[in-house]
Amino acid sequence: MGRERRRTFLEGVKRWVDEYDVASQAKAIRPVAAYMGEDVLIGQETVDKAREMASHLRKAGRAQSTINNHLQVVKRVLNLAYIEWGWINQPLGDKIRKKTPKNERHIYLNAAELTLLMEAIPDARAVDKKVIALAALTGLRQGELLALEPSNIHGGRILLRPDQTKSGKARVVPVPEDARPWLHDLPFDTTYARLRKTWEDARTAMGRPDLRFHDLRHSYASMLAQAGESMTTVRDLLGHSSLIVTSRYSHMFEQGIDEIGARLPRLNATGCDQTATKH
């Protein structure tokens, strides 16, 4: 009847995978696609199924961060279907809400601990050592680092294209001068499996088997806050969708907050310190 046929969610996933670098979300895509099934159509039906999936995962005892990663896959497909592909005529991705994880686990490594971590990586794994160091110095996700190409390097900065980021937005991240030579031979000559083995061996060697690769990203945020950067700067460098996401680090920006009053100009307060007029 002249109407464009409705697309399925799996068609959206396939197009997303074909057109974008999905390395940063690859781990969540497969289980989400399996749960959504072949018959769910792009539209309100997708939103309802995503909410059902979140409820199912919650009852199964999955962490809120895991649930959010699954929901992000659905949001991404819906956003692309609306903004780029014209498959739907309203922003249904906005209807999917991700809850802030309660008591979210955050571990921040200081400079001394990062040095120990680097020392625990043998010279034979030099490429992996560079990737791990860059994760701490740039806050890039593992998938973003392994997807880097020569075209991503502009001067002393890394420019991530929209198809390379979890949020689907371009991001510019500065690289410390002494780390820039590490970017001369891209892409990095390693694999996810090899990097994971190097990471697990290093954390065990330094006596911290609890560490996760993502903790390097948290450590980067911590170092930025300690260096006096604003929350908006941290948001932009980490590629967060909003300050609400960055607010998980809000406690780190409180250092020195009491000193703000001392930096404000002094005003003559004599006119403000008057006793009330007696009637």
Side-chain angles (χ1 to χ4, degrees):
M1 299 296 292
R3 294 181 179 178
E4 184 175 348
R5 74 175 181 85
R6 293 184 63 189
R7 310 282 185 153
T8 66
F9 177 78
L10 288 191
E11 285 181 283
V13 170
K14 184 179 184 304
R15 182 166 179 178
W16 175 33
V17 171
D18 288 343
E19 296 181 359
Y20 287 84
D21 187 328
V22 299
S24 63
Q25 291 173 278
K27 187 177 179 180
I29 290 176
R30 188 182 297 275
V32 171
Y35 189 91
M36 300 296 279
E38 299 180 357
D39 301 324
V40 174
L41 298 174
I42 292 286
Q44 183 61 42
E45 189 176 337
T46 298
V47 176
D48 294 339
K49 190 71 173 179
R51 291 170 177 166
E52 176 189 296
M53 176 183 68
S55 178
H56 175 80
L57 291 171
R58 197 170 293 112
K59 290 177 181 177
R62 303 300 295 275
Q64 186 61 47
S65 57
T66 299
I67 297 173
N68 287 349
N69 288 338
H70 283 58
L71 290 176
Q72 182 60 35
V73 170
V74 181
K75 285 174 67 71
R76 185 77 171 109
V77 172
L78 287 175
N79 289 339
L80 287 171
Y82 171 66
I83 298 172
E84 295 191 14
W85 305 333
W87 289 1
I88 52 178
N89 57 13
Q90 53 182 317
L92 293 177
D94 294 345
K95 289 189 173 184
I96 297 178
R97 305 294 183 184
K98 297 184 295 183
K99 295 183 178 180
T100 301
K102 294 181 180 179
N103 300 320
E104 187 176 13
R105 171 193 178 281
H106 281 170
I107 290 179
Y108 313 102
L109 300 179
N110 58 36
E113 290 170 323
L114 288 171
T115 298
L116 287 176
L117 178 65
M118 294 300 106
E119 292 175 347
I121 303 174
D123 293 338
R125 293 295 179 97
V127 175
D128 293 345
K129 180 180 287 192
K130 292 175 184 178
V131 175
I132 292 171
L134 279 171
L137 295 173
T138 65
L140 266 64
R141 299 176 176 88
Q142 184 176 354
E144 294 171 339
L145 286 162
L146 294 184
L148 287 179
E149 304 168 347
S151 60
N152 291 121
I153 310 306
H154 296 263
R157 300 174 180 178
I158 293 175
L159 173 58
L160 296 177
R161 302 185 304 270
D163 64 306
Q164 294 177 303
T165 66
K166 183 177 179 179
S167 65
K169 298 179 182 178
R171 186 159 99 248
V172 179
V173 181
V175 180
E177 187 171 357
D178 58 349
R180 293 173 191 173
W182 306 344
L183 301 171
H184 289 168
D185 298 315
L186 293 176
F188 289 113
D189 185 19
T190 190
T191 64
Y192 279 99
R194 179 184 173 91
L195 181 61
R196 180 175 181 177
K197 180 68 166 57
T198 301
W199 168 258
E200 291 178 347
D201 288 348
R203 68 182 185 181
T204 299
M206 68 175 293
R208 292 294 303 276
D210 61 309
L211 292 179
R212 300 180 306 185
F213 196 94
H214 200 74
D215 292 328
L216 298 175
R217 185 168 162 85
H218 297 320
S219 301
Y220 177 65
S222 174
M223 289 186 288
L224 289 175
Q226 292 175 26
E229 299 296 342
S230 67
M231 193 179 294
T232 54
T233 297
V234 174
R235 175 201 62 191
D236 295 340
L237 291 176
L238 290 178
H240 288 158
S241 57
S242 70
L243 280 176
I244 295 176
V245 181
T246 315
S247 65
R248 71 185 68 177
Y249 303 112
S250 60
H251 63 283
M252 297 188 304
F253 295 90
E254 295 176 0
Q255 182 178 356
I257 196 170
D258 293 329
E259 300 173 5
I260 294 177
R263 295 198 296 269
L264 293 176
R266 295 181 177 276
L267 299 177
N268 188 336
T270 54
C272 301
D273 189 21
Q274 298 178 353
T275 57
T277 303
K278 294 183 179 179
H279 296 285

